[in-house]
Amino acid sequence: MGFGDLKSSAGLQLLNAFLADKSYIEGYVPSQADIAVFEAVGAPPPAELYHALRWYNHIKSYEKQKASLPGVKKALGKYGPADVEDATGTGGDSKDDDDIDLFGSDEEEESEEAKKLREERLAQYESKKAKKPTLIAKSSILLDVKPWDDETDMAKLEECVRSIQLDGLVWGSSKLVPVGYGIKKLQIQCVVEDDKVGTDMLEEKITAFEDYVQSMDVAAFNKV
């Protein structure tokens, strides 16, 4: 398994294909696997690789809490599609003396063969993915929206939050929760389509109502 060089076009295309029906590198919540791959990518993927870009922007929103995400970082070659050979390391026994080392050769001719082989594998993998039905990944998010003080009009604050209308966003139930000193926060549920709406986008939209909103936090995040 593995994505190869995630700073190369081929590596990013492989990542994009891998994330076509997934929200995360492993499992159903952000983890150290996402952080390891995120750091290897290093910069936002091109806009045409929209699955990879959607994932990148979503994981970027966890940058401040990345150390607390579950899991343990593994070697980069341990992540990715199982039916693509890992070319990021030198470990493992070769089954065939004629196998091509994609990154270990200094000979230009062998490098060209390796490039051709990787492109063929990428085409096979994307063809395989294209035959699978497209799944719409959704998440249920519980948001804590905090006002400035106990004099903030909470009914107006909630009205502002619910006025945010986005493709892939559905607002749910809400309630006011005491936080102390007479101040209450708005706790509101929503369901989002992962490739259209992220927590960073919600935070940007909600905190734009700066007359009412002091801050927004994600209280719970679950896959639907």
Side-chain angles (χ1 to χ4, degrees):
M1 45 193 311
F3 297 110
D5 182 3
L6 281 168
K7 288 183 167 53
S8 71
S9 175
L12 288 175
Q13 288 181 52
L14 199 55
L15 175 65
N16 185 68
F18 180 76
L19 291 167
D21 58 356
K22 297 177 179 64
S23 295
Y24 304 104
I25 299 300
E26 288 185 345
Y28 299 98
V29 295
S31 68
Q32 294 301 321
D34 294 283
I35 298 302
V37 177
F38 176 87
E39 291 175 347
V41 173
E48 61 268 20
L49 302 180
Y50 51 89
H51 297 303
L53 181 59
R54 176 261 304 164
W55 167 85
Y56 183 92
N57 289 332
H58 181 54
I59 299 305
K60 187 177 180 182
S61 69
Y62 288 91
E63 207 157 15
K64 293 181 181 178
Q65 59 220 73
K66 64 182 181 181
S68 64
L69 294 180
V72 178
K73 283 186 183 178
K74 297 181 287 189
L76 190 60
K78 298 295 183 182
Y79 305 117
D83 53 351
V84 175
E85 183 180 346
D86 173 25
T88 61
T90 57
D93 295 330
S94 175
K95 296 181 181 179
D96 187 342
D97 292 338
D98 294 328
D99 281 352
I100 297 172
D101 179 359
L102 298 186
F103 297 99
S105 175
D106 293 328
E107 296 181 11
E108 184 176 352
E109 182 180 353
E110 188 172 11
S111 177
E112 287 300 318
E113 291 179 12
K115 181 179 178 182
K116 182 179 179 181
L117 179 59
R118 174 162 288 280
E119 289 175 350
E120 289 175 354
R121 285 175 177 161
L122 179 59
Q124 291 172 0
Y125 182 73
E126 290 183 338
S127 175
K128 184 178 178 181
K129 283 288 184 182
K131 295 177 182 177
K132 293 184 178 180
T134 301
L135 299 177
I136 299 177
K138 294 183 179 181
S139 299
S140 175
I141 307 175
L142 184 64
L143 302 175
D144 281 347
V145 184
K146 297 176 183 176
W148 289 104
D149 51 41
D150 60 344
E151 296 182 358
T152 300
D153 186 339
M154 296 304 291
K156 183 63 178 177
L157 184 151
E158 181 173 355
E159 180 184 330
C160 290
V161 171
R162 289 186 181 275
S163 71
I164 299 170
Q165 300 295 317
L166 299 168
D167 184 24
L169 168 66
V170 177
W171 293 110
S173 60
S174 65
K175 63 180 180 179
L176 296 179
V177 180
V179 294
Y181 303 100
I183 301 174
K184 295 181 179 180
K185 65 183 178 181
L186 172 68
Q187 200 166 73
I188 186 167
Q189 192 88 24
C190 66
V191 175
V192 302
E193 292 183 23
D194 295 345
D195 62 346
K196 294 180 179 179
V197 181
T199 54
D200 53 342
M201 181 186 298
L202 288 173
E203 182 175 15
E204 180 182 347
K205 296 286 186 182
I206 290 174
T207 55
F209 297 107
E210 54 188 18
D211 290 340
Y212 301 96
V213 178
Q214 181 194 71
S215 64
M216 187 216 84
D217 295 308
V218 176
F221 190 106
N222 298 292
K223 299 300 295 179
V224 176

